[in-house]
Amino acid sequence: MLVLALAGGAVLGYLASRGACFFDAAIEAQGETGAAARSTDRLSRGFLGGSYASRQHVVTACLGALLCCWLALAFGLSPHFLLALVLCWTLLCASLIDLKHFILPDSLTLPLLWAGLLINVAGYFATLQDAVIGAAAGYLTLWSVYWMFKLLRNKEGLGHGDFKLTAALGAWLGWQALPTVILLAAFGGIAAGLILIAGRRMQASQPMPFGPFLAIAGFIVLSTPHRLF
């Protein structure tokens, strides 16, 4: 089972990378990358240790293999395992796009939100009531942080895609998972920023995508029983 999970996960990781490349072309054609994209190469080297384009497929294939193996150990061969693969594949693809373009496409986050609500009609990862509350609370929490930061600092600290991804995680995992997800993502982002600044791979004023840290936190909460509530 583990050998199949490693092989299948590598394929899914590669497909996630190819999917991100498809979105790359669409985003660049629409000119949606904005000023933040000018710092992409330095951030990419910080996270992947080299050229983003040349190493993305290899890194994501290896990462996909490890994630699939971990989920197989956590859930066994069950519907939960297959659904968790769908969630993790989407999170991986969205993270690659966010790292490069500072964008979380609606075409990924919104279907993920609705999928979370639909699967929890059957109560796979949370009750339907908890999933609906989680979707609303996830969006409103980061939306509130966004406006407080903008009023205090007169600039944007989060993207709208971060609201929608958090709402999707709330829909999949229930509102009880949100405090753990948000805290893990926040601490992970701070730690990564400090490491990159200390290693002179990023400047203190340089923006950093938050989506990958939400994705990592969501995976941890999905695959382990540890959460604040």
Side-chain angles (χ1 to χ4, degrees):
M1 184 182 70
L2 293 179
V3 171
L4 290 175
L6 286 170
V11 172
L12 290 175
Y14 175 76
L15 291 177
S17 181
R18 297 296 300 178
C21 290
F22 172 81
F23 280 98
D24 286 347
I27 291 170
E28 290 169 358
Q30 295 174 11
E32 294 181 2
T33 55
R38 289 194 290 267
S39 60
T40 294
D41 288 339
R42 184 177 294 178
L43 260 182
S44 302
R45 288 193 297 270
F47 281 102
L48 296 181
S51 170
Y52 192 95
S54 65
R55 300 195 181 190
Q56 176 176 306
H57 295 329
V58 174
V59 171
T60 51
C62 295
L63 185 58
L66 293 175
L67 294 180
C68 188
C69 186
W70 181 268
L71 291 175
L73 291 172
F75 295 108
L77 295 180
S78 66
H80 291 80
F81 170 67
L82 297 177
L83 292 170
L85 278 181
V86 172
L87 174 59
C88 291
W89 182 91
T90 309
L91 292 176
L92 181 56
C93 185
S95 297
L96 292 172
I97 297 167
D98 200 21
L99 276 172
K100 187 169 184 181
H101 298 285
F102 294 79
I103 289 174
L104 290 168
D106 287 351
S107 51
L108 285 178
T109 55
L110 295 183
L112 192 66
L113 168 61
W114 287 109
L117 295 175
L118 288 173
I119 66 163
N120 281 324
V121 170
Y124 277 104
F125 298 104
T127 66
L128 181 58
Q129 179 179 350
D130 290 342
V132 172
I133 296 172
Y139 189 92
L140 290 174
T141 298
L142 291 198
W143 179 86
S144 300
V145 173
Y146 167 87
W147 279 107
M148 285 190 293
F149 189 86
K150 190 170 185 179
L151 290 172
L152 292 173
R153 300 290 302 275
N154 197 30
K155 63 180 180 179
E156 297 181 355
L158 291 169
H160 290 203
D162 297 324
F163 313 161
K164 298 166 189 174
L165 182 58
T166 310
L169 291 172
W172 277 77
L173 305 173
W175 67 266
Q176 297 92 337
L178 288 176
T180 309
V181 168
I182 293 172
L183 284 175
L184 285 176
F187 284 125
I190 292 170
L194 292 174
I195 292 170
L196 291 174
I197 291 170
R200 296 185 179 180
R201 294 179 178 270
M202 188 180 78
Q203 298 177 358
S205 60
Q206 186 177 340
M208 187 170 66
F210 192 51
F213 300 102
L214 286 171
I216 293 170
F219 172 78
I220 292 172
V221 174
L222 170 71
S223 59
T224 65
H226 305 296
R227 58 184 67 182
L228 294 177
F229 299 102

